[in-house]
Amino acid sequence: MESLTSRMQGVQSPIIPVVGELIKNSPGTISLGQGVVHYNPPPETIEFLPKFFAEPANNLYKSVEGIPPLLTALAGKLQAFNGIEINGENCIVVTAGSNMGFMNAILAITNPGDEIILNTPYYFNHEMAIAIAGCRPVLVATDENYQLRPEAIAQAITPKTRAIVTISPNNPTGVVYSEAALRQVNQICDTNGIYHISDEAYQHFTYNGVKHVSPGAFGSSKYTISLFSLSKAYGFASWRIGYMVIPKHLFVAIKKVQDTILICPPVISQYAALGALQAKEEYLQSNIGAISQVRQLVLDSLNRLQGLCSITPANGAFYFFLKVNTQMDAFELVKRLIQEHKVAVIPGTTFGMDDGCYLRVAYGALQKETAKEGIERLVQGLETIVRN
């Protein structure tokens, strides 16, 4: 039988399961790969679940955009933390994670053949979503510190451009974009009548006094689409709850997409999210404080690789993005690190970086002692493999 072909042949395979298979075949490997946190959701998450079970009608479909109590709670959080007011010009849509929010946005604002500007290194699931939608990613390089280059972004716009995507704090680099640069992107979008898709999944993870800034708080919401997630800060990865703030004029289109793919976000997860949002401030402070300590430990170890790697300062998320001074293929290096040194990282090629050997190091998933062992294996592995 002749093999079937589809648009999916042009979409890269998700890298996390590929690396996961390598880890499975090398027992004892410590993963500095997947971008998750090591801690559990707050206890309020579980405490809210009886409210779900107490209402028999919760077994039925609910509103496509989310249950009213959660929408109200999110509106309060957005106002208090992000400076985003929910008003007649915008609205919230709860999604099954912020990746779904991105897919919703792309399908709602594009036609096949349209262009979306991604800043490199990009987040691989964004590039995959654009390809699935039959659109074309237009890649704009960031500067030597992985910061935005607004002038280069503006020059990349064509009549087919529909959106510019920013991620701050950034995955995979960990950098936090300046308010000035994000304002410039908003202005570029406003001038050209295109959208600014702002991915803020790591909004709570900033260090050294750096503050997170939301482009949706800059004034007019007409061209800004903001994406958020509970997966990271609230240890909510498998509960699959994210949310998006969109201009009101996109609401009907987004609802069409979401009703087709999901119908409604899992209601039990929405109740869990409602509980998580009641968590005391100490929950985030203590957990992110612990990750900050691991971050410093990782950075101290990586600094021993000066001359072997370029390590860009990063004050956000829970990643460092290394450029290794070698001609070796990044994926080949990842395989050898797993097989010979039992430590896993993610190759930079999956983030669109093919002009050298890059690695993403994730440190959020590990407790301090495990992280210390993992980063030691990485440092020793790079010294052994690259120097030899």
Side-chain angles (χ1 to χ4, degrees), residues 31-32 55-56 63 85 89-90 113 120 123 131 247 255 259 274 287 311 319 321 337 352 355 382:
S31 178
L32 298 168
E55 175 51 66
S63 298
E85 180 187 357
E89 295 181 0
N90 60 10
T120 56
Y123 171 46
K255 282 181 72 172
D259 186 71
L274 194 54
N287 284 309
I311 303 155
Y319 306 111
F321 202 64
L337 285 166
D355 63 336
L382 288 173

Side-chain angles (χ1 to χ4, degrees), residues 56-62 264 267:
N58 279 338
N59 293 316
L60 304 175
Y61 295 128
K62 298 298 178 183
C264 67
V267 178

Side-chain angles (χ1 to χ4, degrees), residues 120-290:
T120 56
Y122 54 64
Y123 171 46
F124 51 83
N125 280 129
H126 286 172
E127 189 269 346
M128 292 163 68
I130 292 163
I132 288 170
C135 297
R136 189 173 80 87
V138 173
L139 308 183
V140 175
T142 48
D143 70 14
E144 66 276 8
N145 292 316
Y146 303 123
Q147 292 290 336
L148 297 173
R149 296 163 57 232
E151 298 83 1
I153 293 171
Q155 289 172 4
I157 293 172
T158 75
K160 286 186 172 291
T161 305
R162 294 294 170 264
I164 299 165
V165 179
T166 63
I167 310 168
S168 183
N170 188 260
N171 177 10
T173 67
V175 304
V176 180
Y177 296 149
S178 70
E179 178 176 342
L182 291 170
R183 283 187 180 276
Q184 281 182 271
V185 173
N186 259 30
Q187 185 57 56
I188 291 166
C189 291
D190 191 52
T191 301
N192 290 276
I194 60 178
Y195 293 95
H196 181 181
I197 303 178
S198 172
D199 186 330
E200 303 174 42
Y202 298 89
Q203 60 184 324
H204 293 288
F205 296 89
T206 57
Y207 315 101
N208 298 325
V210 172
K211 299 294 184 186
H212 171 66
V213 177
S214 293
F218 293 161
S220 171
S221 311
K222 190 175 180 184
Y223 293 112
T224 306
I225 299 170
S226 305
L227 307 179
F228 303 95
S229 173
L230 271 69
S231 295
K232 311 302 180 185
Y234 289 94
F236 240 64
S238 72
W239 289 91
R240 305 314 304 136
I241 290 292
Y243 53 104
M244 55 196 308
V245 179
I246 59 172
K248 202 65 175 282
H249 64 259
L250 288 178
F251 187 51
V252 171
I254 296 284
K255 282 181 72 172
K256 288 178 183 178
V257 178
Q258 181 138 305
D259 186 71
T260 301
I261 297 173
L262 187 67
I263 299 183
C264 67
V267 178
I268 191 168
S269 293
Q270 292 189 69
Y271 271 79
L274 194 54
L277 291 171
Q278 314 301 313
K280 297 178 178 63
E281 202 170 310
E282 291 84 343
Y283 169 81
L284 291 178
Q285 287 177 343
S286 63
N287 284 309
I288 294 173

Side-chain angles (χ1 to χ4, degrees), residues 358-374:
Y358 297 85
L359 303 174
R360 188 189 76 174
V361 179
Y363 54 85
L366 302 177
Q367 304 260 9
K368 201 169 186 177
E369 286 310 308
T370 312
K372 187 174 183 179
E373 173 63 23

Side-chain angles (χ1 to χ4, degrees), residues 291-371:
I291 286 180
S292 179
Q293 292 179 13
V294 172
R295 172 186 176 275
Q296 192 58 52
L297 181 153
V298 169
L299 187 57
D300 291 344
S301 294
L302 290 177
N303 281 334
R304 287 161 40 200
L305 295 171
Q306 295 290 349
L308 196 66
C309 295
S310 300
I311 303 155
T312 299
N315 287 310
F318 33 74
Y319 306 111
F320 288 111
F321 202 64
L322 310 184
K323 183 175 185 181
V324 186
N325 298 327
T326 177
Q327 298 300 311
M328 188 181 300
D329 174 75
F331 188 64
E332 184 61 31
L333 178 55
V334 167
K335 284 197 290 187
R336 288 191 60 184
L337 285 166
I338 293 171
Q339 292 163 357
E340 298 170 20
H341 296 274
K342 295 200 179 299
V343 62
V345 289
I346 303 296
T349 43
T350 200
F351 304 101
M353 300 296 280
D354 51 14
D355 63 336
C357 183
Y358 297 85
L359 303 174
R360 188 189 76 174
V361 179
Y363 54 85
L366 302 177
Q367 304 260 9
K368 201 169 186 177
E369 286 310 308
T370 312

Side-chain angles (χ1 to χ4, degrees), residues 63-83:
S63 298
V64 174
E65 66 270 28
I67 59 174
L70 181 55
L71 294 173
T72 299
L74 290 172
K77 175 266 170 188
L78 287 162
Q79 177 78 65
F81 184 81
N82 304 94

